[in-house]
Amino acid sequence: ETGVTQTPRHLVMGMTNKKSLKCEQHLGHNAMYWYKQSAKKPLELMFVYNFKEQTENNSVPSRFSPECPNSSHLFLHLHTLQPEDSALYLCASSQDAVAGIYEQYFGPGTRLTVT
Amino acid sequence: DAKTTQPTSMDCAEGRAANLPCNHSTISGNEYVYWYRQIHSQGPQYIIHGLKNNETNEMASLIITEDRKSSTLILPHATLRDTAVYYCIVRVGNDYKLSFGAGTTVTVRA
């Protein structure tokens, strides 16, 4: 499945670093999502963008900063992370996030390790 | 969203049908049943969804009981590549939120 791509696939960063995760969808969708999956925990929704507008911030700490320049691209800017932020970060897209029953398509994820 | 209950794990033989149960006894009339799966260290993959009627696509079949309190995902001919965690999710049709629980870890054995 290449509809949703994420880069990098693996990232190791120190607590004082600044890095960014990138997501791109080639499905013509209008909604994009960031999820976090920690070890042995269910997926947690972090942010939702619909038509480039942020529609949900699920009480995510400010050290995570999303950016959606257009409907095809989504970024997650990271700074001063903590070791407990180590997780698999997943991007998803769907037709939209307002109405309908559209399924979400996920990317392969970025495995982040904070040292 | 209604809570779902799935077995923690199950094994099935390669080439045989895999039947994955899900209980959602508190489901509301406007809530759909969705199934996703997640192969190890990959992103979840949409499989199928339904409201009342049974559904079939190229990946699987979804059987929903008449009272809608439970459903079964059927993988008709399981392969080793179907080894994954399978999530049963119920959600309102106009709500984008997906609440992933623990799912069922399915292991297909040769």
Side-chain angles (χ1 to χ4, degrees), chain A residues 14-78:
Chain A
M15 289 190 285
T16 58
N17 291 158
K18 290 185 179 180
K19 296 285 184 184
S20 296
L21 309 185
K22 178 183 176 182
C23 175
E24 184 173 1
Q25 58 95 1
H26 311 272
L27 301 169
H29 289 165
N30 297 301
M32 297 188 78
Y33 312 76
W34 280 117
Y35 287 84
K36 174 184 178 182
Q37 188 173 33
S38 303
K40 302 188 186 301
K41 285 187 176 181
L43 273 76
E44 303 170 54
L45 179 64
M46 300 175 71
F47 301 103
V48 180
Y49 278 82
N50 198 46
F51 292 91
K52 300 189 299 178
E53 297 297 320
Q54 187 180 123
T55 57
E56 176 144 356
N57 175 339
N58 199 20
S59 302
V60 180
S62 59
R63 57 186 184 270
F64 295 91
S65 174
E67 178 190 2
C68 188
N70 54 61
S71 292
S72 299
H73 294 86
L74 185 65
F75 295 88
L76 188 63
H77 304 300
L78 315 171

Side-chain angles (χ1 to χ4, degrees), chain B residues 5-42:
Chain B
T5 303
Q6 299 177 250
T8 302
S9 64
M10 61 184 295
D11 287 359
C12 65
E14 187 179 22
R16 304 293 294 272
N19 297 310
L20 284 62
C22 180
N23 287 320
H24 31 80
S25 58
T26 60
I27 193 170
S28 301
N30 62 347
E31 288 183 310
Y32 289 74
V33 179
Y34 280 76
W35 283 84
Y36 282 76
R37 73 179 183 184
Q38 187 172 21
I39 296 170
H40 183 62
S41 292
Q42 296 182 24

Side-chain angles (χ1 to χ4, degrees), chain B residues 26-90:
Chain B
T26 60
I27 193 170
S28 301
N30 62 347
E31 288 183 310
Y32 289 74
V33 179
Y34 280 76
W35 283 84
Y36 282 76
R37 73 179 183 184
Q38 187 172 21
I39 296 170
H40 183 62
S41 292
Q42 296 182 24
Q45 178 187 23
Y46 165 80
I47 301 174
I48 199 168
H49 74 275
L51 181 63
K52 296 181 185 177
N53 301 321
N54 299 335
E55 303 288 344
T56 296
N57 63 20
E58 64 278 4
M59 289 184 68
S61 294
L62 174 61
I63 308 298
I64 302 175
T65 58
E66 193 169 340
D67 63 7
R68 304 210 321 124
K69 293 185 177 182
S70 66
S71 60
T72 301
L73 179 74
I74 301 172
L75 307 177
H77 305 286
T79 70
L80 299 179
R81 288 179 295 179
D82 291 322
T83 292
V85 179
Y86 287 77
Y87 299 98
C88 170
I89 300 166
V90 294

